[in-house]
Amino acid sequence: MLDELEKLYTQSLETLGSAQETAVLEEWYRDTLGKKGKIYLMTRQVGQLSKEERPIFGKRINVIKTELQEAYDGRLGELKSAELETEIASSAIDVTLPGRPVTAGGLHVVTQTLREIYRIFGDMGFQIYRSPDVETDAYNFELLNFPPHHPAREMQDSFYTEKSDVILRTHTSAGQIRAMREYHPEPIRVILPGMCYRNEQITTRSSIQFTQVEGLAVGENITFADLKGTLTEFAKRLFGADRKTRFRASYFPFTEPSAEMDVTCFLCDGKGCQICKYTGWLEILGSGMVHPNVLRNGGYDPEKYTGFAFGMGPERITMLKYGIDDLRLFWRNDLRFLQQF
Ligand code: PHE
């Protein structure tokens, strides 16, 4: 019987060595080392042996079992890596195929305008000052000299919240008070960019949200000449050195005197066209000398300090610059529109 065992051993090793697929290997395992395999059947025959032969046979069969198991593991590893290799070879990637193009993103055209405005005012020494979109009625109106029932509030219909005093800011001017309260009595030269919100009908010319860039300069001896000089220089840098500007008297509760600034139309050069409605001029921003009450609310003594402020709408400037006739295009996320800039 020992002979039989040795024969089984060598034969099993041979078939194992010649197996070329993992499937064949598995079958071999079931037949040889499996629960009802040949080795098991041999073990069951041990009872037919003499007392002396039994331990020798038992020892030998255990050694053979381990060796076959090891041989099986080794062969399985070999076949698996060979199979993987053929699979890789047959499904090789064709590196000569053209890749899928990755489309590059770009800056929204209003962001581009904003950054141009930042650059120009940055060159003139203005820092960017961030203030919150969610404001109190006090910062947005009262401290800017709009008393509770002042008719000027009508022009800025607000979004109110359930908290009686909390609103979405209707203009960036709210941040003027925040900047002054932070810096007083130091001089200030800041611009305040950001989103503003008004309860308005959405049309080609108005929206419920839009950006503004506010400007504020406070210090000693600041005059209307500084306002005019700064804003005229800004207009020339943004729209071209040969632009002319004009200031028209206006009204805002938080500035006195107040003015709106126009630039000569850059499309028709002041001759009159559709964009400037045949006036030759384009309205760009609102401005004025900071009202004494506002300076006081910000912590500055109006006897000693003066300042100027201005506010502009980057969407409007972008529309004028590119002859865009519908404000809603900025929010539609239509790539055919956005990719033009
Ligand atoms: N806040 C004003 C508006 O939204 C613009 C403005 C800002 C006017 C600063 C004067 C000074 O219409």
Side-chain angles (χ1 to χ4, degrees), residues 45-60:
Q45 290 175 28
V46 84
Q48 298 168 13
L49 292 172
S50 69
K51 249 187 169 178
E52 294 74 34
E53 282 173 323
R54 274 185 213 172
I56 302 168
F57 183 83
K59 247 190 200 162
R60 184 66 191 141

Side-chain angles (χ1 to χ4, degrees), residues 33-332:
L33 292 169
K35 264 190 193 153
K36 288 184 180 154
K38 289 177 185 142
I39 294 292
Y40 169 74
L41 295 177
M42 278 264 168
T43 329
R44 284 192 39 181
Q45 290 175 28
V46 84
Q48 298 168 13
L49 292 172
S50 69
K51 249 187 169 178
E52 294 74 34
E53 282 173 323
R54 274 185 213 172
I56 302 168
F57 183 83
K59 247 190 200 162
R60 184 66 191 141
I61 204 165
N62 278 336
V63 172
I64 287 175
K65 229 164 122 180
T66 335
E67 280 182 4
L68 285 177
Q69 181 69 46
E70 276 168 11
Y72 167 80
D73 291 342
R75 187 69 189 141
L76 186 66
E78 274 169 28
L79 283 187
K80 276 201 171 154
S81 55
E83 278 172 12
L84 188 66
E85 248 162 64
T86 37
E87 199 188 311
I88 290 170
S90 66
S91 66
I93 297 165
D94 182 352
V95 292
T96 63
L97 285 174
R100 293 194 192 97
V102 177
T103 45
L107 293 176
H108 191 280
V109 64
V110 175
T111 306
Q112 293 177 35
T113 303
L114 276 167
R115 292 194 178 183
E116 233 177 301
I117 295 170
Y118 301 163
R119 187 178 49 75
I120 295 169
F121 281 110
D123 286 348
M124 295 200 269
F126 285 76
Q127 282 181 288
I128 292 181
Y129 187 90
R130 298 274 176 192
S131 71
D133 290 28
V134 180
E135 269 295 5
T136 60
D137 185 272
Y139 278 96
N140 197 81
F141 292 122
E142 272 200 71
L143 294 166
L144 290 173
N145 216 23
F146 290 81
H149 298 289
H150 196 282
R153 289 189 178 216
E154 276 294 294
M155 300 187 323
Q156 303 193 1
D157 196 0
S158 320
F159 286 112
Y160 293 89
T161 65
E162 277 163 12
K163 285 195 176 165
S164 64
D165 194 37
V166 177
I167 64 172
L168 297 182
R169 66 173 170 197
T170 58
H171 54 178
T172 43
S173 303
Q176 282 192 28
I177 302 287
R178 291 185 180 271
M180 285 193 266
R181 288 191 170 178
E182 184 172 335
Y183 290 121
H184 76 92
E186 298 295 320
I188 296 180
R189 236 188 295 170
V190 290
I191 53 169
L192 307 97
M195 195 63 76
C196 301
Y197 310 84
R198 289 186 199 177
N199 185 10
E200 294 209 20
Q201 184 103 35
I202 298 172
T203 69
T204 55
R205 302 167 54 84
S206 61
S207 174
I208 56 169
Q209 65 178 95
F210 50 91
T211 52
Q212 275 193 348
V213 177
E214 187 89 5
L216 176 68
V218 180
E220 290 179 58
N221 304 316
I222 293 183
T223 68
F224 201 87
D226 296 312
L227 179 156
K228 282 183 85 172
T230 305
L231 294 178
T232 301
E233 181 59 24
F234 163 72
K236 286 181 189 292
R237 292 197 194 179
L238 186 66
F239 297 112
D242 45 357
R243 290 303 105 205
K244 289 194 188 65
T245 55
R246 76 175 179 190
F247 289 81
R248 283 178 293 103
S250 183
Y251 173 78
F252 302 101
F254 40 95
T255 47
E256 182 61 35
S258 304
E260 273 162 55
M261 183 178 81
D262 300 341
V263 295
T264 45
C265 180
F266 37 79
L267 282 183
C268 63
D269 208 17
K271 287 183 204 73
C273 70
Q274 213 182 339
I275 291 286
C276 63
K277 297 195 210 89
Y278 302 96
T279 63
W281 293 94
L282 299 167
E283 182 199 318
I284 296 302
L285 51 80
S287 65
M289 299 306 288
V290 183
H291 193 288
N293 289 348
V294 176
L295 281 171
R296 216 173 280 122
N297 291 337
Y300 289 84
D301 176 2
E303 295 298 326
K304 194 169 167 204
Y305 297 96
T306 49
F308 66 84
F310 55 87
M312 65 187 83
E315 280 89 355
R316 187 179 146 71
I317 289 174
T318 308
M319 288 171 82
L320 294 172
K321 207 168 157 184
Y322 294 104
I324 298 164
D325 58 6
D326 190 343
L327 182 68
R328 296 170 299 182
L329 287 166
F330 291 132
W331 302 103
R332 254 183 210 152

